[in-house]
């Protein structure tokens, strides 16, 4: 009996001691630095890392210790919630929970220099020209830029710009993530070099398509990309099945379309001709993403290229210097611009149409600047008629050239009316009549509002005109 009592006392004592063991306190300093799990260890404890996949909520358990490299745990690429389960005897406690990302250690997370030109992981929009000296791919026209697809949360880039010291001319860019045009980040390039910028950050970890687009036009400035970086990895970009080329003047370049009308004490200010006065045009208030051409391409889910410049005519323009330089000749070059002497020029480099993507549709918006070039000869009726006929002939020459490049099945949309250039309507319509045998050419009359600086169409007017053009493109292309 005495032995039984002693045994019971021993068991009771052990139980009493166990029950008096102080509860362990879980460390709350869990972190991952340089891919190593770090936390305060507890003597004689067993550690189990609990990884919960953000993608599918599946739980993955791994035995770990302080200093374990997360890339030795055979986890799939992705985002996880992580905490450490600590066990001592019968006590189990958990650390704080953190978010980590397991990346593909063989992934490409940097695209740089000339290798970008042939990379399947970056898509350049519009015509570009690689500068061997600065190792940068330059973009010139409104709407030009680049697009990448990533798995990650951020994108950065090393960019350069021209005319960066001129407030009214420096490059303005738009960053569009996942086709969200309602939340576009706008930024400007303030230095020629050393523009190492975070373009987008804080995205939910996963796949994202990011497009960087030049809002402003070539007459103001250019921009270029030397390298792009992501905190995840680059994926192959996707090309849309449809491709539209947009050719024109200021109406397709977005000239001052975001300018605001000027009021003093609530009264509209008038210019010397009695028209409403607006803010001066700058690269900051010109937005290619709000032009009828860009909006049309977006609406029909097409890739696009814009080749446009303010002041240029199809045959000539009083706004160019010399007046005889023209958009048709410039079209054969990589870009068109204005040099520091305000002389309109185009690049020396011929555009390589042989390697260019074939356009399914081409939108042409010209005529306003030709109007003033033609009317400059009103005092000489012979030259006046010659210039009108030259416009008609040049339009046919342009259409023939486009069909030679892309094929007779390329649909061409002759657009007019964006600047309410009514005195030119008859001549544009005559140019269309001169193409009466061309079943792939379509005349589209728009109605601008002169609601921005220098009688250009406003953003709202561009949206309205886009609806007309979209309907016509969908009808003709069966899109």
């Amino acid at each position: 009996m005495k032995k039984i009592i002693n045994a019971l006392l021993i068991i009771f004592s052990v139980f009493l001691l166990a029950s008096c063991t102080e509860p362990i306190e879980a460390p709350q300093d869990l972190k991952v630095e340089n891919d190593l799990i770090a936390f305060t260890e507890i003597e004689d404890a067993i550690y189990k890392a609990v990884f919960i996949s953000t993608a599918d909520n599946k739980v993955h358990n791994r035995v770990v210790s302080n200093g374990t490299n997360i890339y030795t745990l055979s986890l799939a690429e992705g985002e996880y919630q992580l905490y450490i389960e600590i066990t001592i005897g019968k006590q189990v406690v958990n650390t704080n929970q953190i978010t980590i990302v397991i990346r593909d250690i063989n992934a490409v997370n940097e695209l740089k220099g000339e290798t970008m030109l042939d990379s399947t992981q970056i898509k350049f929009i519009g015509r570009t020209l690689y500068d061997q000296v600065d190792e940068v791919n330059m973009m010139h026209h409104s709407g030009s830029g680049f697009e990448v697809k990533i798995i990650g949360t951020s994108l950065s880039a090393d960019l350069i710009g021209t005319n960066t010291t001129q407030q009214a001319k420096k490059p303005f860019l738009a960053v569009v993530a996942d086709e969200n045009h309602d939340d576009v980040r706008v930024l400007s390039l303030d230095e020629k070099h050393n523009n190492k910028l975070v373009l987008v950050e804080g995205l939910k970890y996963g796949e994202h398509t990011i497009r960087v687009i030049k809002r402003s036009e070539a007459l103001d400035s250019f921009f270029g990309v030397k390298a792009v970086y992501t905190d995840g990895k680059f994926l192959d970009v996707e090309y849309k099945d449809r491709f539209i080329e947009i050719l024109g003047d200021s109406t397709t370049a977005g000239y001052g379309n975001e300018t605001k009308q000027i009021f003093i004490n609530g009264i509209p200010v008038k210019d010397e001709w009695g028209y409403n006065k607006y803010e001066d045009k700058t690269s900051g208030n010109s937005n290619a993403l709000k032009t009828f051409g860009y909006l049309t391409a977006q609406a029909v889910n097409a890739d696009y290229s814009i080749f446009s410049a303010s002041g240029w005519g199809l045959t000539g323009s009083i706004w160019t210097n010399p007046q005889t330089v023209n958009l048709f000749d410039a079209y054969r070059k990589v870009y068109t611009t204005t040099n520091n002497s305000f002389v309109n020029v185009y690049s020396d480099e011929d555009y390589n149409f042989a390697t260019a993507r074939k356009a399914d549709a081409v939108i042409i918006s010209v005529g306003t600047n030709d109007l003033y070039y033609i009317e400059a000869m009103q005092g000489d009726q012979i030259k006046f008629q010659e210039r009108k006929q030259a416009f008609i002939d040049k339009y046919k020459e342009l259409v023939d050239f486009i069909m030679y490049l892309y094929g007779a099945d390329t649909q061409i949309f002759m657009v007019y009316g964006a600047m309410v250039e009514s005195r030119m309507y008859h001549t544009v319509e005559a140019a269309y009549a001169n193409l009466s045998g061309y079943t792939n050419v379509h005349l589209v009359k728009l109605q601008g509002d002169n609601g921005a600086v220098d009688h250009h169409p406003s953003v709202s007017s561009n949206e309205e005109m886009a609806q007309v053009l979209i309907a016509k493109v969908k009808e003709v292309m069966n899109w």
Side-chain angles (χ1 to χ4, degrees), residues 217-279:
E217 64 172 314
L219 295 189
D220 292 325
S221 49
F222 308 153
F223 94 103
V225 56
K226 293 175 70 70
V228 288
Y229 316 89
T230 179
D231 64 341
K233 70 174 181 179
F234 290 104
L235 303 176
D236 285 351
V237 290
E238 298 174 359
Y239 286 81
K240 297 177 180 178
D241 293 335
R242 303 162 180 173
F243 182 62
I244 295 176
E245 187 173 57
I246 302 161
L247 174 62
D249 49 29
S250 55
T251 59
T252 52
Y255 181 104
N257 55 357
E258 292 185 339
T259 52
K260 294 179 174 58
Q261 188 177 346
I262 298 174
F263 294 85
I264 296 180
N265 297 325
I267 300 174
V269 177
K270 303 292 182 179
D271 63 19
E272 57 188 300
W273 298 282
Y275 295 106
N276 290 330
K277 190 171 179 61
Y278 292 81
E279 301 169 330

Side-chain angles (χ1 to χ4, degrees), residues 113-127:
E114 197 167 6
T115 59
M116 293 186 297
L117 302 184
D118 298 317
S119 173
T120 60
Q121 296 173 327
I122 185 168
K123 174 170 67 176
F124 288 104
I125 302 168
R127 301 181 181 186

Side-chain angles (χ1 to χ4, degrees), residues 98-310:
I98 62 174
T99 301
I100 69 162
V101 174
I102 301 294
R103 309 188 189 284
D104 180 355
I105 60 176
N106 297 314
V108 175
N109 56 21
E110 174 183 303
L111 302 172
K112 188 175 183 180
E114 197 167 6
T115 59
M116 293 186 297
L117 302 184
D118 298 317
S119 173
T120 60
Q121 296 173 327
I122 185 168
K123 174 170 67 176
F124 288 104
I125 302 168
R127 301 181 181 186
T128 67
L129 184 64
Y130 189 75
D131 184 332
Q132 297 280 356
V133 176
D134 284 332
E135 298 180 313
V136 58
N137 202 27
M138 295 299 298
M139 284 148 277
H140 313 89
H141 290 282
S142 308
S144 59
F146 63 91
E147 177 180 304
V148 294
K149 187 176 182 180
I150 66 168
I151 291 180
T153 68
S154 67
L155 181 74
S156 302
D158 186 0
L159 308 175
I160 75 168
T162 65
N163 286 343
T164 54
T165 60
Q166 299 184 51
Q167 188 64 28
K169 290 183 174 293
K170 62 184 180 180
F172 272 77
L173 310 178
V175 182
V176 182
D178 299 321
E179 295 289 354
N180 185 0
H181 284 77
D182 295 324
D183 187 20
V184 175
R185 183 188 178 200
V186 178
L187 55 90
S188 63
L189 300 184
D190 300 322
E191 298 182 43
K192 179 176 181 180
H193 298 286
N194 301 317
N195 292 291
K196 294 184 177 179
L197 304 173
V198 176
L199 300 174
V200 63
E201 61 183 343
L203 299 172
K204 181 178 174 59
Y205 181 83
E207 288 191 9
H208 298 282
T209 298
I210 302 164
R211 188 182 302 151
V212 180
I213 306 169
K214 188 170 181 283
R215 287 172 37 118
S216 50
E217 64 172 314
L219 295 189
D220 292 325
S221 49
F222 308 153
F223 94 103
V225 56
K226 293 175 70 70
V228 288
Y229 316 89
T230 179
D231 64 341
K233 70 174 181 179
F234 290 104
L235 303 176
D236 285 351
V237 290
E238 298 174 359
Y239 286 81
K240 297 177 180 178
D241 293 335
R242 303 162 180 173
F243 182 62
I244 295 176
E245 187 173 57
I246 302 161
L247 174 62
D249 49 29
S250 55
T251 59
T252 52
Y255 181 104
N257 55 357
E258 292 185 339
T259 52
K260 294 179 174 58
Q261 188 177 346
I262 298 174
F263 294 85
I264 296 180
N265 297 325
I267 300 174
V269 177
K270 303 292 182 179
D271 63 19
E272 57 188 300
W273 298 282
Y275 295 106
N276 290 330
K277 190 171 179 61
Y278 292 81
E279 301 169 330
D280 290 338
K281 178 257 188 184
T282 69
S283 55
N285 58 33
S286 301
N287 188 355
L289 285 73
K290 297 294 185 179
T291 59
F292 61 82
Y294 179 89
L295 294 171
T296 297
Q298 290 300 112
V300 299
N301 194 32
D303 283 333
Y304 69 91
S305 173
I306 297 176
F307 186 91
S308 62
S310 294

